[in-house]
């Protein structure tokens, strides 16, 4: 299975950031096929502009969140259909920053996954334990309950999972290779064999090769190191 490499720009990027996408495209064209499926998830305001540029380089575009309803009186929200209309093919759901900042529950995330399918998007469902939960030996139980609550019982369409321990996101800390392998195995046991399981949390050009080669890792979800074309390119090349 091809690895899925996703760049999550979070709430970073004004108009000029679109140039990073053409820079990345030029770097990718320069060194031939990467063998990976590449997705950039810019802020919603840039999806259409990034999609215009990215398409010619074979790079796909995704949203960072969506509302569960197709439309409605939900000021400030964006539906999966709107993301698709703007040029997205993917959407991240249940990111730890959404769970933390917006109180998203597994049930809300599950509804968003169904919305993504309804709109023809490929959902990337995030899960992961906090540092306290890991220290308390609860990692397996937490992952099990997040998956049970956020992955629809009837998996109607393809989806991917991103294992992102809260404590590794944006901190510069990464789990050991063994911890990543064990978590991916726990997740894989509960999902169809064809599901890609990405690792996310402080992935960079220096650690990407080791992480991408861990058994059970089907790609990476990259935050900070996806903002600059050269950094993201190094991760894509580290296959
Ligand atoms: P990070 O973020 O790579 O900056 O740790 C990862 C993510 O939030 O998906």
């Amino acid at each position: 299975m091809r690895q899925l490499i996703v760049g999550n720009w979070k709430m970073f990027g004004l108009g000029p950031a679109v140039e990073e996408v053409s820079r990345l495209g030029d770097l990718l064209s320069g060194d031939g096929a990467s063998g990976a499926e590449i997705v950039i998830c810019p802020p919603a305001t840039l999806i259409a502009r990034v999609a215009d540029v990215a398409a010619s380089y074979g790079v796909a575009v995704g949203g960072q969140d969506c509302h569960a309803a197709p439309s409605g009186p939900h000021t400030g929200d964006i539906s999966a259909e709107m993301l698709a209309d703007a040029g997205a093919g993917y959407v991240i759901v249940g990111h730890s920053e959404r769970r933390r900042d917006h109180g998203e529950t597994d049930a809300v995330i599950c509804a968003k996954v169904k919305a993504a399918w309804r709109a023809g998007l490929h959902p990337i469902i995030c899960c992961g334990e906090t540092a306290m939960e890991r220290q308390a030996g609860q990692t397996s139980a937490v992952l099990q309950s997040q998956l049970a609550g956020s992955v629809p019982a009837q998996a109607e369409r393809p989806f991917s999972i991103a294992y992102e321990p809260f404590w590794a996101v944006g901190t510069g800390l990464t789990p050991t290779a063994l911890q990543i392998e064990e978590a991916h195995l726990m997740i894989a046991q509960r999902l169809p064999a064809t599901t890609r399981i990405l690792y996310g949390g402080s992935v960079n050009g220096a650690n990407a090769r080791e992480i991408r080669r861990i058994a059970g890792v089907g790609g990476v979800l990259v935050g900070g190191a996806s903002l600059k074309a050269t950094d993201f390119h190094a991760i894509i090349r580290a296959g």
Side-chain angles (χ1 to χ4, degrees), residues 88-178:
Y90 296 74
V91 62
I92 298 168
V93 291
H95 190 279
S96 58
E97 288 156 9
R98 300 288 314 172
R99 292 177 188 259
R100 182 195 67 202
D101 298 348
H102 299 271
E104 289 192 8
T105 61
D106 291 327
V108 165
I109 294 160
C110 187
K112 292 182 176 196
V113 173
K114 291 179 187 165
W117 284 337
R118 184 188 65 222
L121 301 180
H122 180 106
I124 300 159
I125 310 169
C126 302
C127 61
E129 80 289 355
T130 63
M132 264 171 61
E133 287 164 343
R134 176 164 283 277
Q135 278 152 20
Q138 295 167 345
T139 301
S140 171
V142 167
L143 294 177
Q144 187 169 350
S145 108
Q146 286 178 342
L147 293 175
S150 61
V151 178
Q154 300 293 326
E156 297 156 26
R157 308 269 305 260
F159 64 95
S160 299
I161 297 286
Y163 168 60
E164 295 211 310
F166 273 53
W167 51 274
V169 173
T171 59
L173 301 171
T174 49
T176 64
L178 184 61

Side-chain angles (χ1 to χ4, degrees), residues 34-59:
S34 69
E37 199 172 323
I38 303 159
V39 183
I40 293 176
C41 300
T45 46
L46 292 182
I47 287 177
R49 277 181 276 175
V50 168
D52 272 352
V53 175
S56 57
Y57 298 109
V59 171

Side-chain angles (χ1 to χ4, degrees), residues 8 10 95 164 168-170 201-202 221-224:
N8 171 16
K10 310 192 181 192
H95 190 279
E164 295 211 310
V169 173
S202 300
L221 175 52
V222 185

Side-chain angles (χ1 to χ4, degrees), residues 11-101:
M11 199 171 74
F12 293 101
L14 301 175
V18 177
E19 287 164 28
E20 290 299 320
V21 181
S22 22
R23 252 175 234 136
L24 174 68
D26 290 340
L27 289 167
L28 290 171
S29 317
D31 49 24
S34 69
E37 199 172 323
I38 303 159
V39 183
I40 293 176
C41 300
T45 46
L46 292 182
I47 287 177
R49 277 181 276 175
V50 168
D52 272 352
V53 175
S56 57
Y57 298 109
V59 171
V61 177
Q64 299 175 10
D65 174 52
C66 66
H67 194 279
S71 61
H74 304 292
T75 303
D77 279 316
I78 296 175
S79 71
E81 281 77 0
M82 290 168 179
L83 295 175
D85 186 47
Y90 296 74
V91 62
I92 298 168
V93 291
H95 190 279
S96 58
E97 288 156 9
R98 300 288 314 172
R99 292 177 188 259
R100 182 195 67 202
D101 298 348

